[in-house]
Amino acid sequence: MRIGVYGAGAIGGYVGARLAVAGHDVTLLGRPWLAELELAVQDLGQSVQAASPSVIVDPEGLAACELVLVTVKSRHSADAGEVLGRVLPPSTPVVSLQNGLHNPSRIAVGLGREVWAGMVPFNVIREEGLFRKATTGPIHLDRRAEVLGRALRRAGETVHLADDMGAVQAGKLLINLNNGICAAAGLGIAELVADRRARRCYAACIREGLEAFRRAGQPVVRVGALSPALLVRALPLPDGLVHTFAKGLVSIDPAATGSTLQDLRRGNPTEIDQLNGEIVALAGERAPVNAWVVEQVKRLEGEHPDHRFVSLDQLLAASA
């Protein structure tokens, strides 16, 4: 199967490389330097596998693909739709594997047709040409994207097909609220899980999100080992209890870093408006903890490279 990836960053590079290792004809649209690297992929705890997808810098090279995945940051979604609308035949399916709730519709405006939603729950670390999975979880796809699901299963990924991707995206957004907290405090994902003060802030953000979705009539489904409602109750527990059950909850590479913190460190705009900012947009004054997180991340965006991250005690105070 000929599969294109529009935006070969960490997630796009990992998924594309995994599909290439499984024997699919994969084309990555990325930066020129990517073409100069020897690419490889590594699943959590497994050996490194060399991958040989084609790397292009001109989107015209995606025209022959039978399926295209979009993995760019949210701010580039509209542009991706316009570009793909010019180069792809009308019959080529497009799947969004992005954070947030609205990227499929943003792409669809320029593309001129519906875009199927997908959700990648795990974190990926890119080290030169190596794309390394750093956390776990199954990929969720709109049921209509079953052909992609078969390809990903052949590549060794666990895939769930969903009839209501809106509920899946809402569930993923709630889990992703840790992204803003990690960015505000300069924490890796494992560091957040290890500290009760950070976990209490995380639980408060999820609680606000659950209430916002309830008021909006938006269903939420579990996308991880625990439902968001159970996470709200479990995260504030003492460290010893959390560390005991967390071992079976998720595997986390100590180097795993959220994409928002990665953007801050690179001096790039973040996706905070599509993460914690989505809860604020829904709930307004009923989401003070998420609003505080958004405020801190936007402050940090203007401080590159001398970021003044908030302390763990400030996270605790904000969640009180």
Side-chain angles (χ1 to χ4, degrees):
M1 185 176 183
R2 295 191 302 276
I3 301 172
V5 179
Y6 189 105
I11 293 297
Y14 175 86
V15 172
R18 286 281 280 178
L19 290 167
V21 169
H24 295 282
D25 182 358
V26 177
T27 300
L28 303 180
L29 177 68
R31 302 293 178 86
W33 52 260
L34 191 64
E36 300 173 3
L37 299 175
E38 293 184 5
L39 303 185
V41 65
Q42 184 180 23
D43 201 347
L44 196 68
Q46 296 186 5
S47 60
V48 174
Q49 294 178 290
S52 300
S54 301
V55 178
I56 61 173
V57 296
D58 184 350
E60 292 284 350
L62 298 174
C65 293
E66 299 169 273
L67 176 76
V68 173
L69 313 179
V70 178
T71 54
V72 295
K73 298 289 187 180
S74 298
R75 65 183 180 276
H76 298 308
S77 291
D79 290 341
E82 292 180 5
V83 172
L84 292 174
R86 292 195 298 269
V87 304
L88 293 184
S91 60
T92 304
V94 175
V95 181
S96 164
L97 296 180
Q98 300 166 276
N99 286 328
L101 304 177
H102 308 297
N103 284 305
S105 59
R106 292 188 182 110
I107 298 166
V109 171
L111 185 66
R113 61 183 183 275
E114 188 175 10
V115 173
W116 297 334
M119 187 279 289
V120 177
F122 48 78
N123 180 271
V124 172
I125 300 170
R126 187 186 67 80
E127 299 167 336
E128 294 297 322
L130 172 64
F131 296 93
R132 179 161 58 89
K133 183 188 283 189
T135 59
T136 60
I139 296 174
H140 289 68
L141 296 173
D142 186 303
R143 188 170 298 280
R144 293 170 294 179
E146 185 174 2
V147 62
L148 174 60
R150 290 197 298 269
L152 288 167
R153 289 190 183 107
R154 176 179 169 184
E157 296 294 330
T158 302
V159 178
H160 292 170
L161 299 179
D163 295 310
D164 184 359
M165 276 302 299
V168 171
Q169 289 174 302
K172 171 65 184 318
L173 177 61
L174 293 176
I175 302 303
N176 254 9
L177 296 178
N178 70 339
N179 228 304
I181 298 167
C182 287
L187 298 174
I189 297 172
E191 291 175 306
L192 179 146
V193 173
D195 194 282
R196 192 181 187 186
R197 292 164 291 182
R199 294 196 308 272
R200 286 181 65 176
C201 189
Y202 185 19
C205 286
I206 296 175
R207 185 184 303 111
E208 291 178 353
L210 279 169
E211 178 61 15
F213 284 133
R214 185 190 69 78
R215 288 178 176 274
Q218 170 61 61
V220 175
V221 299
R222 189 187 79 188
V223 297
L226 293 180
S227 71
L230 284 176
L231 276 175
V232 167
R233 295 165 59 186
L235 288 168
L237 293 173
D239 290 343
L241 290 175
V242 172
H243 296 169
T244 297
F245 76 73
K247 292 179 181 179
L249 173 65
V250 65
S251 298
I252 304 174
D253 188 305
T257 304
S259 60
T260 306
L261 181 55
Q262 292 174 26
D263 283 336
L264 281 180
R265 288 175 170 165
R266 293 169 184 157
N268 295 331
T270 72
E271 291 185 297
I272 194 64
D273 285 334
Q274 286 74 47
L275 297 168
N276 303 74
E278 289 281 10
I279 304 304
V280 178
L282 276 173
E285 294 181 355
R286 294 189 178 95
V289 184
N290 281 284
W292 180 82
V293 170
V294 171
E295 178 184 353
Q296 298 309 314
V297 173
K298 290 194 172 184
R299 171 182 61 81
L300 290 164
E301 284 182 340
E303 293 182 354
H304 182 77
D306 300 316
H307 297 120
R308 292 174 294 125
F309 295 111
V310 304
S311 69
L312 290 164
D313 287 336
Q314 286 176 296
L315 291 181
L316 178 60
S319 62

